[in-house]
Amino acid sequence: MSSEPDAAAEARRSDLAANLADVRARIDAACDAAGRTRDSVTLIVVTKTYPASDVRLLAGLGVREVGENRDQEAGPKAEACADLDLRWHYIGQLQTNKARSVASYADVVQSVDRARLVSALSAGAVRRGRELDCLIQVSLDGDAARGGALPQDVPALADTIAQAPHLRLGGLMAVAPLGAEPGRAFADLAEMSRRLRESHPAATMVSAGMSNDLEAAVEAGATHVRIGTAVLGVRRSLR
Ligand SMILES: *Cc1c(COP(=O)(O)O)cnc(C)c1O
């Protein structure tokens, strides 16, 4: 094998480095504008549809948290990157029959939205001897088809997660409603997080904000932003 750096890989590396610098500057500016410290927001780079080679380049650029939304893709990618120091966030809608697989590589499951998923994730985590952080995905527009628990179902689901072996309740996750100004929805999420922490003080994570709306999310108090397109480029459609 040649030891010369592959030109295409080097070009990709410098693109990713430039995009990451832009995104980190946006997060820093949003923190400054909101009067928040810069280390109060964690960047999760969403690598879905992009290859393990990109994950490897990102790790070399200091990325520590990555997000994926399909088990079939995420499992092999996590395995190919097992030597890297990464935390894997599962952020997609999750079928119950995939939960055991996801529990074998994910560190955080952000899309828990029903009790049946909790027992399946717990069983998988116990079997693997792993601890999983779970976020409850909340529907901010009441449209269950896009995933997410209804706000009124959050307290019971939170208790179920908190009591499940090998699962920890980390907090809440949401996607801004389509076609609406995201600030209001993110403020609602922040209020739900405040209420959740009254009974679960350790559940401090608020995962909100994507490439187009990270500023609004940081302003509303997000602790984690999930950024794909702005780092890796526009995804090709999957199907
Ligand atoms: C794809 C995805 C993201 C990243 O979206 P971008 O607009 O590409 O930044 C964030 N969150 C979830 C749940 C996603 O599915």
Side-chain angles (χ1 to χ4, degrees), residues 74-92:
K77 215 183 282 186
E79 197 174 318
C81 296
D83 59 312
L84 303 173
D85 180 21
L86 291 171
R87 265 167 79 73
W88 292 82
H89 295 253
Y90 189 85
I91 62 171

Side-chain angles (χ1 to χ4, degrees), residues 111-149:
S111 44
V112 180
D113 61 2
R114 59 195 188 278
R116 276 196 66 201
L117 205 43
V118 176
S119 33
L121 285 168
S122 178
V126 167
R127 182 146 120 183
R128 295 288 184 139
R130 304 182 77 241
E131 298 283 331
L132 290 188
D133 288 312
C134 292
L135 306 191
I136 297 174
Q137 181 176 353
V138 189
S139 169
L140 295 177
D141 56 7
D143 179 0
R146 294 184 69 218

Side-chain angles (χ1 to χ4, degrees), residues 46 48 69 91 173 175 210-212 226-230 235:
V46 178
K48 64 189 185 193
N69 74 336
I91 62 171
M173 181 272 247
V175 178
M210 316 196 333
S211 293
N212 288 330
R226 310 177 306 268
I227 309 298
T229 309
R235 290 177 292 275

Side-chain angles (χ1 to χ4, degrees), residues 34-57:
R36 301 180 56 193
T37 60
R38 292 176 171 191
D39 62 4
S40 64
V41 177
T42 299
L43 168 63
I44 301 165
V45 178
V46 178
T47 49
K48 64 189 185 193
T49 79
Y50 287 98
S53 57
D54 279 349
V55 178
R56 195 162 285 281
L57 290 170

